[in-house]
Amino acid sequence: MKVLSQIPLFPLSMALYPGVTLPLRIFEQRYLRLVSEVLKSDSGFGIALIRSGAEVGHASVWPLGLYVHIVDWSQGEEGLLHVEVQGQRRFRIHDVGRAADNLQTAEVEWLPQPPPQPVPAECDGLLAVLDELKERATMLPLKFAPVDSADALSWQLAQLLPLDDKVRVELLGTEDPLARLASIAASLDRWAHE
């Protein structure tokens, strides 16, 4: 029997992957409440890629997401709250509900977290691609930990490459990091021949 957990949900117009840190500007009342509750309980919340709709207002999301923890926060001007979240655990959404203030909640199943695997020697080319992407992405507000596993390499490449949303979600649902890297390498190969 699947064990399901109830978590608050933050729909976002970009996918986020494990180990990546992303800043968010919070201004809607429902999300200010979410951040307040999460900070008080030292818990996290789910981020899911928007399938239709927008970040402000109503949005429907893809069925896979990422549980994040707040790693830093500060009060900004005009009531804005600045938080930095770091991706932790992947989940599959089984059901979505809505609180009175329109904050979405999700009933989720946690996806397995296999032990880390080393970066295979044949992935040197992908490491070089990642280094180049990071050099070009200095304007992006994302933060990355050093690449110490095949997982980290695959997640960081998925974060920085211009992939379709459907592919982004498929990668998030792929358990084996070597399969993720093979899929990313196939995309790079296809682009090189277009």
Side-chain angles (χ1 to χ4, degrees):
M1 184 174 143
K2 293 176 183 163
V3 177
L4 302 180
S5 300
Q6 191 81 21
I7 61 170
L9 200 59
F10 191 102
L12 200 58
S13 59
M14 70 178 286
L16 186 65
Y17 295 99
V20 179
T21 302
L22 171 73
L24 298 172
R25 291 185 321 156
I26 310 293
F27 55 90
E28 285 188 73
Q29 277 306 125
R30 57 185 167 168
Y31 297 127
L32 291 169
R33 176 173 73 83
L34 163 73
V35 169
S36 172
E37 289 173 3
V38 162
L39 288 171
K40 283 179 191 166
S41 63
D42 194 26
S43 60
F45 59 94
I47 284 183
L49 180 62
I50 294 174
R51 192 173 201 159
S52 65
E55 288 177 4
V56 177
H58 293 283
S60 67
V61 296
W62 290 85
L64 292 167
L66 189 68
Y67 193 70
V68 300
H69 275 105
I70 295 174
V71 294
D72 197 13
W73 67 275
S74 63
Q75 188 72 45
E77 298 172 14
E78 301 168 16
L80 282 179
L81 190 61
H82 300 276
V83 298
E84 279 192 358
V85 297
Q86 185 176 58
Q88 306 283 327
R89 289 185 72 184
R90 302 168 306 129
F91 59 78
R92 180 176 309 282
I93 297 173
H94 283 265
D95 193 29
V96 175
R98 226 175 258 286
D101 63 359
N102 276 328
L103 177 69
Q104 289 189 44
T105 58
E107 198 170 65
V108 302
E109 167 195 354
W110 301 107
L111 297 179
Q113 289 183 286
Q117 296 181 41
V119 177
E122 63 268 20
C123 288
D124 284 352
L126 290 176
L127 280 166
V129 168
L130 180 60
D131 287 342
E132 189 176 323
L133 287 168
K134 284 181 177 177
E135 280 179 29
R136 293 181 181 192
T138 54
M139 297 301 289
L140 290 177
L142 302 167
K143 292 181 186 173
F144 300 95
V147 173
D148 60 357
S149 67
D151 270 317
L153 176 59
S154 68
W155 295 136
Q156 292 182 28
L157 283 166
Q159 190 71 62
L160 290 170
L161 286 168
L163 303 167
D164 291 335
D165 285 352
K166 184 176 186 297
V167 174
R168 290 187 178 285
V169 174
E170 285 170 359
L171 288 172
L172 190 60
T174 303
E175 190 174 321
D176 179 5
L178 301 182
R180 281 195 300 272
L181 289 169
S183 173
I184 289 167
S187 291
L188 289 169
D189 197 46
R190 194 169 52 252
W191 294 335
H193 292 93
E194 282 179 357

